[in-house]
Amino acid sequence: PHSEIVKYYKETDLVVGLTPQGGIDKVILEGMASGSLVLTSNQACEKYFGSYSDKLVFKYGDPASLAEKIISLDRLSTDEKKAVSDFLIRSVSEHHDLKNLIIRTSQLYE
């Protein structure tokens, strides 16, 4: 059930999105919000990953690129993984939090 999904995200080491370029994948946003490390092939996510985008975006349809990114993330120290996780939580909150969305939407009508 959807009510239990947060528990599963919090237990993961990594969330992988295999979507092509396009809209933002909800799974990636949920993974970010839960503090999971995320990997995606969707370059539209780069703006939400900041300086970590080179670590978190792999080439679409390229399993070797995905494997390389997984290995690279696995080799990060615990502190480095925490820094990425903390950044992703802040980023998703800043860009996709409902409160911030309402503020940005209302500003369009001012």
Short mmCIF file of all heavy atoms in Angstrom, two decimals, residues 1 10 19 22 27 36 41 48 50-51 55 57 60 66 71-72 77 79 82 84-85 95 100-101:
data_model
loop_
_atom_site.label_atom_id
_atom_site.label_comp_id
_atom_site.label_asym_id
_atom_site.label_seq_id
_atom_site.Cartn_x
_atom_site.Cartn_y
_atom_site.Cartn_z
N PRO A 1 0.82 -1.21 0.00
CA PRO A 1 0.00 0.00 0.00
C PRO A 1 0.86 1.27 0.00
O PRO A 1 1.97 1.27 0.56
CB PRO A 1 -0.80 -0.10 1.28
CG PRO A 1 -0.50 -1.42 1.90
CD PRO A 1 0.63 -2.04 1.15
N LYS A 10 13.17 4.19 2.66
CA LYS A 10 14.17 4.43 3.70
C LYS A 10 15.08 3.22 3.91
O LYS A 10 16.18 3.36 4.43
CB LYS A 10 13.50 4.85 5.00
CG LYS A 10 12.93 6.26 4.90
CD LYS A 10 12.56 6.78 6.25
CE LYS A 10 12.08 8.20 6.17
NZ LYS A 10 13.15 9.17 6.05
N THR A 19 14.10 5.98 -16.85
CA THR A 19 13.30 6.74 -17.81
C THR A 19 14.17 7.56 -18.75
O THR A 19 15.23 8.04 -18.38
CB THR A 19 12.34 7.70 -17.08
OG1 THR A 19 13.11 8.55 -16.23
CG2 THR A 19 11.33 6.94 -16.26
N GLY A 22 12.83 13.65 -20.38
CA GLY A 22 11.44 14.08 -20.36
C GLY A 22 11.08 14.61 -19.00
O GLY A 22 11.91 15.16 -18.29
N VAL A 27 9.21 8.52 -8.97
CA VAL A 27 10.00 7.59 -8.17
C VAL A 27 11.31 8.25 -7.73
O VAL A 27 11.74 8.09 -6.58
CB VAL A 27 10.28 6.29 -8.96
CG1 VAL A 27 11.32 5.43 -8.28
CG2 VAL A 27 8.99 5.52 -9.17
N SER A 36 17.21 8.54 0.07
CA SER A 36 17.94 7.52 -0.69
C SER A 36 18.86 8.19 -1.70
O SER A 36 18.58 9.28 -2.19
CB SER A 36 16.96 6.63 -1.47
OG SER A 36 16.15 5.90 -0.60
N SER A 41 18.55 8.08 -15.70
CA SER A 41 19.03 8.35 -17.05
C SER A 41 18.36 9.58 -17.62
O SER A 41 18.62 9.96 -18.75
CB SER A 41 18.78 7.14 -17.95
OG SER A 41 17.41 6.77 -17.91
N TYR A 48 18.26 19.39 -10.44
CA TYR A 48 17.92 19.11 -9.05
C TYR A 48 19.08 18.44 -8.30
O TYR A 48 19.07 18.35 -7.09
CB TYR A 48 16.68 18.25 -8.95
CG TYR A 48 15.50 18.85 -9.66
CD1 TYR A 48 14.95 18.24 -10.77
CD2 TYR A 48 14.97 20.07 -9.24
CE1 TYR A 48 13.89 18.80 -11.44
CE2 TYR A 48 13.91 20.64 -9.91
CZ TYR A 48 13.37 20.00 -11.00
OH TYR A 48 12.32 20.58 -11.67
N GLY A 50 22.36 19.37 -8.72
CA GLY A 50 23.46 20.31 -8.50
C GLY A 50 24.81 19.72 -8.88
O GLY A 50 24.95 19.07 -9.92
N SER A 51 25.78 19.92 -8.03
CA SER A 51 27.14 19.45 -8.31
C SER A 51 27.26 17.93 -8.29
O SER A 51 28.29 17.38 -8.67
CB SER A 51 28.13 20.06 -7.31
OG SER A 51 27.83 19.63 -6.00
N LYS A 55 27.50 12.37 -10.77
CA LYS A 55 27.49 11.10 -10.05
C LYS A 55 26.15 10.38 -10.16
O LYS A 55 26.07 9.16 -9.98
CB LYS A 55 27.77 11.33 -8.56
CG LYS A 55 29.15 11.82 -8.23
CD LYS A 55 29.31 11.94 -6.72
CE LYS A 55 30.60 12.48 -6.25
NZ LYS A 55 31.79 12.17 -6.97
N VAL A 57 23.56 10.80 -12.75
CA VAL A 57 22.91 10.64 -14.05
C VAL A 57 23.78 9.74 -14.93
O VAL A 57 24.97 9.98 -15.09
CB VAL A 57 22.70 12.01 -14.75
CG1 VAL A 57 22.05 11.82 -16.12
CG2 VAL A 57 21.83 12.92 -13.89
N TYR A 60 21.27 7.01 -20.90
CA TYR A 60 20.07 6.21 -21.18
C TYR A 60 20.41 5.04 -22.12
O TYR A 60 21.09 5.21 -23.12
CB TYR A 60 18.98 7.09 -21.81
CG TYR A 60 17.74 6.32 -22.15
CD1 TYR A 60 16.89 5.87 -21.15
CD2 TYR A 60 17.41 6.03 -23.47
CE1 TYR A 60 15.74 5.16 -21.46
CE2 TYR A 60 16.28 5.32 -23.78
CZ TYR A 60 15.44 4.88 -22.77
OH TYR A 60 14.31 4.17 -23.07
N LEU A 66 25.35 2.72 -16.34
CA LEU A 66 24.62 2.50 -15.08
C LEU A 66 25.50 1.74 -14.09
O LEU A 66 25.61 2.14 -12.93
CB LEU A 66 23.33 1.74 -15.34
CG LEU A 66 22.55 1.27 -14.11
CD1 LEU A 66 22.18 2.44 -13.20
CD2 LEU A 66 21.31 0.49 -14.54
N ILE A 71 28.72 1.46 -9.04
CA ILE A 71 30.00 1.16 -8.39
C ILE A 71 30.58 2.42 -7.76
O ILE A 71 31.07 2.40 -6.63
CB ILE A 71 30.98 0.51 -9.39
CG1 ILE A 71 30.50 -0.89 -9.77
CG2 ILE A 71 32.40 0.47 -8.82
CD1 ILE A 71 31.20 -1.49 -10.97
N SER A 72 30.50 3.52 -8.48
CA SER A 72 31.03 4.79 -7.99
C SER A 72 30.32 5.22 -6.70
O SER A 72 30.97 5.64 -5.73
CB SER A 72 30.89 5.86 -9.06
OG SER A 72 31.31 7.10 -8.59
N SER A 77 32.39 7.15 0.75
CA SER A 77 32.41 6.93 2.20
C SER A 77 31.02 7.18 2.77
O SER A 77 30.16 7.80 2.11
CB SER A 77 33.41 7.88 2.85
OG SER A 77 32.93 9.21 2.80
N ASP A 79 30.25 9.27 5.05
CA ASP A 79 30.05 10.73 5.13
C ASP A 79 29.70 11.33 3.78
O ASP A 79 28.85 12.23 3.69
CB ASP A 79 31.30 11.41 5.69
CG ASP A 79 31.51 11.14 7.17
OD1 ASP A 79 30.54 10.74 7.86
OD2 ASP A 79 32.65 11.33 7.64
N LYS A 82 26.13 10.48 2.99
CA LYS A 82 25.24 11.33 3.80
C LYS A 82 25.15 12.73 3.21
O LYS A 82 24.07 13.32 3.17
CB LYS A 82 25.75 11.38 5.23
CG LYS A 82 25.00 12.35 6.13
CD LYS A 82 24.21 11.64 7.17
CE LYS A 82 23.60 12.56 8.20
NZ LYS A 82 22.47 13.34 7.76
N VAL A 84 25.47 13.62 0.04
CA VAL A 84 24.62 13.54 -1.15
C VAL A 84 23.16 13.41 -0.74
O VAL A 84 22.29 14.11 -1.26
CB VAL A 84 25.05 12.36 -2.07
CG1 VAL A 84 24.08 12.23 -3.24
CG2 VAL A 84 26.47 12.52 -2.55
N SER A 85 22.89 12.51 0.19
CA SER A 85 21.53 12.29 0.68
C SER A 85 20.93 13.59 1.23
O SER A 85 19.79 13.95 0.89
CB SER A 85 21.53 11.21 1.76
OG SER A 85 20.29 11.10 2.38
N HIS A 95 12.42 22.40 -4.47
CA HIS A 95 11.83 22.46 -5.80
C HIS A 95 10.45 21.83 -5.92
O HIS A 95 9.70 22.17 -6.85
CB HIS A 95 12.76 21.79 -6.82
CG HIS A 95 14.03 22.52 -7.02
ND1 HIS A 95 15.21 22.16 -6.40
CD2 HIS A 95 14.32 23.62 -7.75
CE1 HIS A 95 16.16 22.99 -6.75
NE2 HIS A 95 15.65 23.89 -7.57
N ASN A 100 6.06 25.34 -1.24
CA ASN A 100 6.81 26.15 -2.19
C ASN A 100 6.12 26.21 -3.55
O ASN A 100 6.15 27.24 -4.23
CB ASN A 100 8.24 25.62 -2.34
CG ASN A 100 9.05 25.82 -1.08
OD1 ASN A 100 8.78 26.71 -0.30
ND2 ASN A 100 10.04 24.97 -0.88
N LEU A 101 5.49 25.12 -3.94
CA LEU A 101 4.76 25.09 -5.20
C LEU A 101 3.60 26.09 -5.18
O LEU A 101 3.37 26.82 -6.15
CB LEU A 101 4.24 23.69 -5.49
CG LEU A 101 3.39 23.53 -6.76
CD1 LEU A 101 4.22 23.87 -8.00
CD2 LEU A 101 2.84 22.13 -6.85
#
